[in-house]
Amino acid sequence: MQNLENPHVHVGKAARILISELGLDVETVMRRALLPSGLLDGDGSHISLDEYHRLWASVTTEANDPLLALKLGDAAGIDYFDPAFFAAMCSQDMNMAVTRLADYKRRVSPFSFDVQIDKHATKVAFCGLANTTVHPTLALTEIVFLVNFARRATRHPVTPMSVSMSFDMPDCAAYEAHLGCPISQADVRSVTFSVADAGRPFVTHNDEIWTLFEPRLQRQIEVSDPHPTVRMGWMAPASIGVAMRHSAVAMNCL
């Protein structure tokens, strides 16, 4: 179990590749973040939450692109396999998927999902660990990714009921056009799906595949480390350290 008072995040090869694919110079990004230039080499390194957020801030600044979260949240392909994402793709519907992901993120991610499911809607809010604030680019990318994920898993043009962010949006109109709903300002960064969309069957639903990969996911969660450590999350674009744009492999393997 991670120490929530002093969590660390593992970053490595996937982060380096993602930064390069954005057309950014890795050394420049690391220098702006006040991090060692070789931090992402080899097996990677563990960094504090403060350093993690500095890395996100540096990527955002260097990219200088108001549509960065739309690009990072694109779930068009896959470069790295991630068992948590695969578990979500095998779920029966969005309710089951976000519940599984919330359990995973609570134990190994630098932020968590607060999932609220009732007879009216399913709401997913993003909360930082150790009283930290989720970086705006990261929160927005997660929302874009979840909506893309729902659309691909259901093969249906899912439109959120609402999206809320706690900061002024860059090029808000472009994000609203992609998401299909207005983005409001609120203290909580969240996305809300209708009962119909949250319960819409996944065409990727496969309990047999889930039973095969659940033990691997549990082993990934239980891997011990001498430092209290969290991992960068299940969705690569949104979590600069695990996997980039995953859906294609899950679709093709099911």
Side-chain angles (χ1 to χ4, degrees):
M1 295 295 291
Q2 56 174 287
N3 182 339
L4 297 182
E5 294 182 357
N6 185 32
H8 282 65
V9 183
H10 180 266
V11 293
K13 180 179 179 181
R16 185 173 65 254
I17 293 176
L18 176 58
I19 292 170
S20 297
E21 287 199 345
L22 288 173
L24 306 178
D25 179 71
V26 175
E27 289 192 6
T28 301
V29 169
M30 303 307 289
R31 183 165 56 250
R32 178 182 287 277
L34 303 178
L35 295 171
S37 60
L39 188 75
L40 306 180
D41 294 344
D43 293 332
S45 306
H46 295 105
I47 60 177
S48 69
L49 277 183
D50 178 66
E51 292 170 325
Y52 169 77
H53 290 301
R54 292 209 312 264
L55 178 57
W56 262 105
S58 179
V59 169
T60 301
T61 301
E62 289 295 324
N64 191 29
D65 183 356
L67 302 183
L68 179 61
L70 280 181
K71 296 176 180 178
L72 293 177
D74 176 29
I78 183 167
D79 293 283
Y80 290 93
F81 174 76
D82 185 73
F85 172 81
F86 206 87
M89 292 299 293
C90 292
S91 299
Q92 179 177 330
D93 53 29
M94 199 63 178
N95 282 332
M96 181 181 291
V98 294
T99 298
R100 285 177 174 174
L101 290 169
D103 180 60
Y104 179 79
K105 283 182 174 291
R106 185 181 69 253
R107 292 184 278 180
V108 300
S109 176
F111 63 93
S112 64
F113 279 1
D114 178 11
V115 179
Q116 300 175 25
I117 301 174
D118 59 34
K119 63 181 181 180
H120 302 294
T122 293
K123 180 178 180 179
V124 182
F126 304 90
C127 309
L129 297 183
N131 297 317
T132 61
T133 300
V134 180
H135 190 276
T137 301
L138 175 57
L140 187 54
T141 301
E142 289 283 347
I143 288 175
V144 171
F145 190 92
L146 273 186
V147 173
N148 288 346
F149 170 80
R151 290 169 178 171
R152 291 177 183 276
T154 62
R155 299 295 202 279
H156 183 82
V158 171
T159 298
M161 293 177 63
S162 64
V163 169
S164 65
M165 300 299 292
S166 57
F167 59 91
D168 292 331
M169 289 284 302
D171 200 348
C172 187
Y175 286 91
E176 290 181 337
H178 179 82
L179 297 171
C181 71
I183 299 175
S184 61
Q185 280 205 325
D187 293 336
V188 177
R189 303 171 187 196
S190 67
V191 57
T192 301
F193 297 96
S194 69
V195 170
D197 281 339
R200 195 176 300 278
F202 279 12
V203 297
T204 54
H205 174 218
N206 192 315
D207 288 332
E208 183 176 354
I209 295 293
W210 161 245
T211 59
L212 291 175
F213 281 95
E214 184 180 17
R216 177 173 176 175
L217 178 59
Q218 290 303 319
R219 286 197 301 271
Q220 180 173 330
I221 290 173
E222 294 166 2
V223 169
S224 60
D225 187 273
H227 305 285
T229 302
V230 297
R231 298 183 186 275
M232 306 234 5
W234 63 279
M235 41 184 91
S239 311
I240 297 181
V242 174
M244 289 180 294
R245 302 181 300 274
H246 336 281
S247 62
V249 77
M251 307 291 182
N252 293 335
C253 290
L254 296 178

